[in-house]
Amino acid sequence: MSTNSPQRLTLRPTALQQAWLQEIGIDRRLLSLVAPPEPGIAVQPQTQAQSGTAAEPDTAVRRLRVPETTSASGQPAKAAKVPTPTPTQEPPVAPLVPAGNLQALAEQAAVCQRCRLHEGRGAVVFGAGALAPQWLVVGEAPDAHDDRAGLPFAGPAGELLRAMLQAVGIDRDSQVYATSLVKCRPLGNRPPEPDERQACAGFLDQQLALLAPERILALGETAARHFAGPEATLESLRGSVLDYRLADGSTVPVYVTHHPATLLFCPPLKAEAWYDLLQATGRL
Ligand code: SF4
């Protein structure tokens, strides 16, 4: 994309899309101010075998764009009270035992103590949705609403996600399975640490294998890095399609956009998310 003359979108939303844009809270004027992402940026894909080994600090665009007085997941920030994880001195966790089906995998997660996040969880938020999904939606971690409900995207961020998906013709109930990189909520809504993500990665890998989604939508930079590698940034990935290679050698296309919790605090980014979803669904 040229930085001197950014492309402007001339797309005219349908009446239904306009209604959903209003529901989402996108001022149509925003659409004319934000250029859609340029497609076709080459990205070095992450492989499934690499996915659980990221070890970099989680300095997300998402976090930079969220006011420091609030958390990225929609809860009032309590930075001074957030417990700082103690760097683990323990050896790497052993690989998960392969589960034959999703229910067996969920039962493993329900009693999992593979990382310190089990200490503060209310419920394990394994995932929920269609069992032959067109889309696997992957967030960073459960928030407080999810932790209470035991379901992913159960609060305001989830409501926005549902509306966003509906606006581009994706029905969350029948076409989407939603989950997160880690299945237990980090206390204080801090981002999950690399060792926590590594400990939990086997669940997501097996969910991918068992659900066989047609596409993946990664929400936020941390989730995007799981698939694209630890050096990737959300901005470098927006407008791109990653081919994420599974253990059986097949690939699943991965699209990225902002996490809905970020959009709740930064409404202007809704226009960018709108373009990302239009592109992911072939409408651009
Ligand atoms: Fe187990 Fe994942 Fe929960 Fe850690 S976050 S305790 S690995 S289910």
Side-chain angles (χ1 to χ4, degrees), residues 3 7-8 82 114 145 156 207 223 235 241 245 248 252 277:
T3 54
Q7 179 187 1
R8 300 298 181 199
V82 174
R114 294 165 59 83
H145 299 278
Q207 285 174 310
E235 286 310 307
V241 183
R245 189 170 299 281
D248 66 0
V252 184
L277 293 181

Side-chain angles (χ1 to χ4, degrees), residues 37-46 135 214-218 224 227-229 232-245 251-257 275-284:
E38 182 175 342
I41 301 171
V43 176
Q44 182 68 37
Q46 175 86 329
W135 290 91
E214 296 177 18
R215 303 178 186 88
I216 295 169
L217 179 64
F227 300 102
T233 65
L234 189 64
E235 286 310 307
S236 72
L237 296 173
R238 290 186 56 243
S240 302
V241 183
L242 315 177
D243 285 323
Y244 185 65
R245 189 170 299 281
T251 59
V252 184
V254 180
Y255 302 84
V256 308
T257 192
Y275 288 131
D276 293 340
L277 293 181
L278 287 177
Q279 191 168 59
T281 52
R283 289 170 167 77
L284 279 182

Side-chain angles (χ1 to χ4, degrees), residues 108-119 121 124 181-185 195-201 203:
Q108 282 191 50
V111 295
C112 178
Q113 298 186 2
R114 294 165 59 83
C115 79
R116 69 182 76 83
L117 292 182
H118 81 274
E119 297 167 0
R121 71 188 176 207
V124 172
L181 296 183
V182 296
K183 313 306 185 192
C184 304
R185 177 196 176 211
D195 64 316
E196 295 161 349
R197 301 201 304 268
Q198 180 180 354
C200 210
F203 287 112

